[in-house]
Amino acid sequence: MKTRPILRNLALVCVAASAATLIAFAAVVPASPAGATNAPAPWTVSVTPTKNVPDGGLLSINLRTTEDHRIFQARAQLCRAGVGYANSSTSRPNEDFVPGGANCPSIPISSSADVGTVDGTTYDNAVTPEGETFTMYAGTGIVEWVSDLDSSNQTLTCDYEHPCALVVEVRGVNANGSTEWIPYVAELNFAADDPITGCGGPADGMVTTGGSERISAAWVDLTLAQCHLDGAQHGAATSASFAGEKDAMEGFSSNSLDMAYSAVGYDTGLGFGLGTEADPLTKRPSIAVPTDLNAVVVAVGNGRFGANEHKLPYSNVRMTLDQVTHLFSAGVFEFSGDWLEGFYELNPQFRNTGLYVSTSPIKVGVSSAADSQAYFFTNFLKTKRPELWKVPDTPSFGSERGMERGISSALPLATPSFGGVLDFFSGQPLLKKAIRALSTDAFGGVWVMTDLATATQLGMSVVSIENSNGNFVAPTDESMGAAVTTMSTTDDGRLLPDPNATVAADAVQPYPLTYVEYAIAPTQKLIDSKCKARKTSQELMHAWLTFVTGDGQAQLPDGYGHLTDELRQVATSAIDKVGSEYPDCLAPEKPVLKGGSAETSGSGGSSSYGGSSRSTPTPVGGAAATGAVTQSGTPDAPAPEMPEFTGMPSASTAAAFGGLLAVLLLLGTMILATTGRLPSVSALRSRFGVTR
């Protein structure tokens, strides 16, 4: 067998593949156009968000000024980045801002985007403490047009690799007392549609993961950031499916996923990852690695009257705990009379719009997926307001009227039911579509129970909820960090929200529905279907978790809370335990003493050296080198992979080959003898010149 040419050809293939991957990797590094320096202005302009902007993302533009520097008008448009936009003392902005000119298209970049927007109600509103806010839908894609200025062909690309500029032209009284257009440029960075492509493809040995849709934005950003690190692997370290938290835990237990993201893991209160009574699953040996903070929130979408054809999001929304409980237990139709008046007193902005939109398919909504946040929310309300967490005692609720509600992770299946109270949606796209589909004159709230990250991504207003000290608390990095110290600890070291936790009135007030997101990772080494250790995948998992819990914290999108210093230490200790144990099929047999020397069997299956047969699990993934383990269970240095027929002690291997050679020689001699072709002794002596 000519092994060397085969190995040489294989090496050439690997080098070629690596070169192709490197070229793809280099091609997708995001461009970094030089941003224009904004000219001095006597007013302030702010744009949110500017990072991870999706196609159809709603941008909020806020203007604030003083009585001496009134603003008469403002215009905003998506334009070319890296351009120095000039001031103008005429009645119009400079020609570098002309729609259909050299920098700014006259048609939208996508069907979900606006060409631009104008706000003419800035004169009185911009001098108020909250300033004037107007909105615009941004888009991603490629747009081509012919310049109205010189008939030249122009192209603008706005996507993950190509940031664009939101140019806000403001006309007002400048520092010299003259009227002037002064441009403000905010660079927009767009969300990636496919981070695996953005990393140049999948990495060799890619780790398979899954979880709730709420972690998708963080996974996208962290994937792109990690694969672009100096010295990182070529390609994306992990893949991810977002079928749901419960499904992810089931996939982890069945070995179809290498790792799952969950806030509860194998918590007995929910039973995630244990299958069904008819098809049970076994808990997989695992460790919970904290990755970030999130929070269950009540959020409100749609909005109030705005300065242009778009609605403005509600701001500074507050609700008592009684109001939150009654709204989600009884629904909007029972939220009337004193309930509604008390809400209006806290939130007068709703008096002009009403509590909800009558034409909306979602009035008070929750996700239909089985999820930990539903469990946290219902447990909180049941604990804090049991007298209100009930079905309304009215005839319209039939036989369930007045029944106490329970704690559930799957609200569509809860008993008593939430029929006529809650509207269920299956994912973020449907919720976003329901809000965007409302007409421009349909004002009022679209209320949901969701998580902070999702509410932030969809541009929804998050409600500040009253706590036991009478404070209205919103989820912020500070209030979420304070909540960590109030959480209860499970037997396996996870932290869970404690509804009964209290703090001093003068302390930082924690947001009570804060929770910790975990990566549920295997403590046993990753193996393939032949029980060979997947060394490359194991290294990728370690690199990924180390980045996510370390430097990756700075890359988390808005809406995700950062780990506290204590949780980062917990994460470091937990990562050390990931892949630290050997499955049964990888562990060698105990030494068998023979004549004062120790002999060991191979690392799997049965052998003639005292080993016993072992069952082999069936995980998913690629193969890598295995390691040996001593009698005490401490792993030795990994041994190189060899074909299975050579996987035995070296002395035995030499003896086996020697015996095989002897057998072959003997067979050859027998054949020659039986066919009469074996030369006589005298003939051999004569041939070789031997006389005796």
Side-chain angles (χ1 to χ4, degrees), residues 70-89:
R70 295 270 186 166
I71 296 174
F72 303 115
Q73 190 185 75
R75 301 181 182 182
Q77 187 168 346
L78 200 63
C79 300
R80 201 181 309 280
V83 174
Y85 292 90
N87 296 10
S88 172
S89 57

Side-chain angles (χ1 to χ4, degrees), residues 342-690:
F343 173 79
Y344 285 160
E345 289 178 1
L346 286 174
N347 305 280
Q349 58 190 313
F350 283 87
R351 287 190 184 275
N352 295 327
T353 66
L355 176 67
Y356 64 95
V357 189
S358 60
T359 58
S360 173
I362 299 176
K363 297 174 178 62
V364 180
V366 298
S367 171
S368 58
D371 203 279
S372 59
Q373 63 191 21
Y375 175 80
F376 294 147
F377 189 65
T378 56
N379 183 52
F380 181 73
L381 299 183
K382 176 73 172 180
T383 302
K384 302 298 290 184
R385 293 294 186 270
E387 71 281 1
L388 291 175
W389 191 236
K390 296 180 178 180
V391 178
D393 191 9
T394 58
S396 59
F397 288 91
S399 61
E400 292 185 331
R401 60 182 295 181
M403 291 180 61
E404 294 184 358
R405 296 199 182 279
I407 301 169
S408 176
S409 62
L411 295 180
L413 305 178
T415 302
S417 74
F418 284 92
V421 174
L422 300 179
D423 302 305
F424 298 102
F425 55 89
S426 59
Q428 291 181 12
L430 288 180
L431 176 58
K432 181 178 180 180
K433 182 179 179 180
I435 296 174
R436 286 289 301 271
L438 296 173
S439 62
T440 56
D441 58 352
F443 299 100
V446 174
W447 298 88
V448 296
M449 181 276 289
T450 185
D451 65 285
L452 178 60
T454 297
T456 303
Q457 293 159 34
L458 298 183
M460 305 182 78
S461 301
V462 176
V463 175
S464 298
I465 299 176
E466 181 190 28
N467 68 3
S468 56
N469 289 329
N471 303 109
F472 289 95
V473 185
T476 63
D477 252 0
E478 186 180 32
S479 66
M480 292 166 69
V484 172
T485 61
T486 70
M487 294 182 179
S488 59
T489 305
T490 63
D491 292 340
D492 59 357
R494 289 176 294 107
L495 296 178
L496 296 176
D498 181 1
N500 291 318
T502 58
V503 297
D506 59 349
V508 175
Q509 298 299 296
Y511 182 74
L513 285 165
T514 303
Y515 61 87
V516 181
E517 198 79 76
Y518 291 96
I520 309 301
T523 53
Q524 292 186 340
K525 293 186 180 299
L526 299 175
I527 55 176
D528 67 5
S529 60
K530 295 183 179 180
C531 200
K532 291 184 178 293
R534 296 163 51 200
K535 182 179 179 182
T536 303
S537 299
Q538 197 73 59
E539 291 173 347
L540 277 181
M541 182 177 287
H542 185 274
W544 171 252
L545 290 173
T546 300
F547 174 74
V548 167
T549 59
D551 293 344
Q553 292 291 300
Q555 305 295 329
L556 288 171
D558 293 341
Y560 295 90
H562 301 92
L563 293 176
T564 62
D565 291 341
E566 293 77 9
L567 281 174
R568 291 183 70 164
Q569 293 176 5
V570 171
T572 299
S573 298
I575 292 172
D576 289 341
K577 298 177 183 177
V578 175
S580 62
E581 302 170 357
Y582 282 75
D584 287 345
C585 64
L586 277 181
E589 302 302 323
K590 293 181 179 181
V592 178
L593 298 178
K594 291 187 178 180
S597 62
E599 299 181 20
T600 59
S601 70
S603 61
S606 61
S607 76
S608 60
Y609 295 86
S612 60
S613 177
R614 298 177 183 270
S615 61
T616 302
T618 310
V620 177
T626 64
V629 70
T630 65
Q631 184 176 4
S632 63
T634 304
D636 291 327
E641 283 190 294
M642 296 186 294
E644 291 185 11
F645 70 86
T646 64
M648 58 183 74
S650 57
S652 300
T653 303
F657 275 109
L660 179 62
L661 180 60
V663 170
L664 291 175
L665 289 174
L666 179 60
L667 287 174
T669 302
M670 292 172 63
I671 293 171
L672 291 173
T674 56
T675 58
R677 296 180 182 181
L678 183 65
S680 64
V681 173
S682 59
L684 290 173
R685 287 178 177 177
S686 175
R687 180 177 299 178
F688 292 103
V690 179

Side-chain angles (χ1 to χ4, degrees), residues 124-358:
D124 292 323
N125 296 337
V127 297
T128 62
E130 64 273 11
E132 166 70 352
T133 299
F134 63 112
T135 57
M136 173 180 162
Y137 288 113
T140 61
I142 302 175
V143 61
E144 298 177 349
W145 73 98
V146 177
S147 173
D148 293 335
L149 300 178
D150 57 9
S151 299
S152 60
N153 294 322
Q154 300 293 336
T155 300
L156 179 66
T157 301
C158 300
D159 56 28
Y160 166 71
E161 299 178 66
H162 304 90
C164 286
L166 180 73
V167 182
V168 184
E169 292 276 0
V170 181
R171 187 171 189 254
V173 179
N174 64 18
N176 298 322
S178 303
T179 300
E180 187 177 22
W181 287 97
I182 302 178
Y184 174 87
V185 179
E187 184 178 272
L188 300 184
N189 292 273
F190 299 92
D193 293 329
D194 183 1
I196 294 179
T197 299
C199 285
D204 182 30
M206 172 183 272
V207 176
T208 59
T209 72
S212 168
E213 190 179 31
R214 66 176 183 261
I215 62 105
S216 60
W219 175 78
V220 168
D221 284 14
L222 292 171
T223 297
L224 291 167
Q226 191 275 336
C227 74
H228 289 142
L229 292 173
D230 291 338
Q233 78 289 334
H234 298 312
T238 72
S239 64
S241 60
F242 305 113
E245 188 173 356
K246 184 177 185 295
D247 288 343
M249 288 301 301
E250 306 283 294
F252 179 72
S253 293
S254 63
N255 286 317
S256 62
L257 292 178
D258 296 325
M259 191 165 60
Y261 300 104
S262 172
V264 292
Y266 284 116
D267 193 278
T268 55
L270 290 89
F272 289 178
L274 302 180
T276 63
E277 186 175 347
D279 187 17
L281 292 171
T282 303
K283 290 172 62 175
R284 185 175 173 185
S286 60
I287 187 78
V289 182
T291 59
D292 61 89
L293 300 180
N294 206 337
V296 183
V297 299
V298 175
V300 56
N302 200 38
R304 55 189 174 86
F305 304 95
N308 50 23
E309 63 180 6
H310 301 144
K311 286 161 280 195
L312 290 178
Y314 293 105
S315 58
N316 301 319
V317 183
R318 300 182 297 168
M319 294 183 75
T320 67
L321 188 51
D322 285 354
Q323 291 169 349
V324 171
T325 307
H326 187 62
L327 180 63
F328 282 86
S329 179
V332 293
F333 301 116
E334 298 289 332
F335 201 90
S336 57
D338 291 341
W339 287 106
L340 189 58
E341 182 58 32
F343 173 79
Y344 285 160
E345 289 178 1
L346 286 174
N347 305 280
Q349 58 190 313
F350 283 87
R351 287 190 184 275
N352 295 327
T353 66
L355 176 67
Y356 64 95
V357 189
S358 60

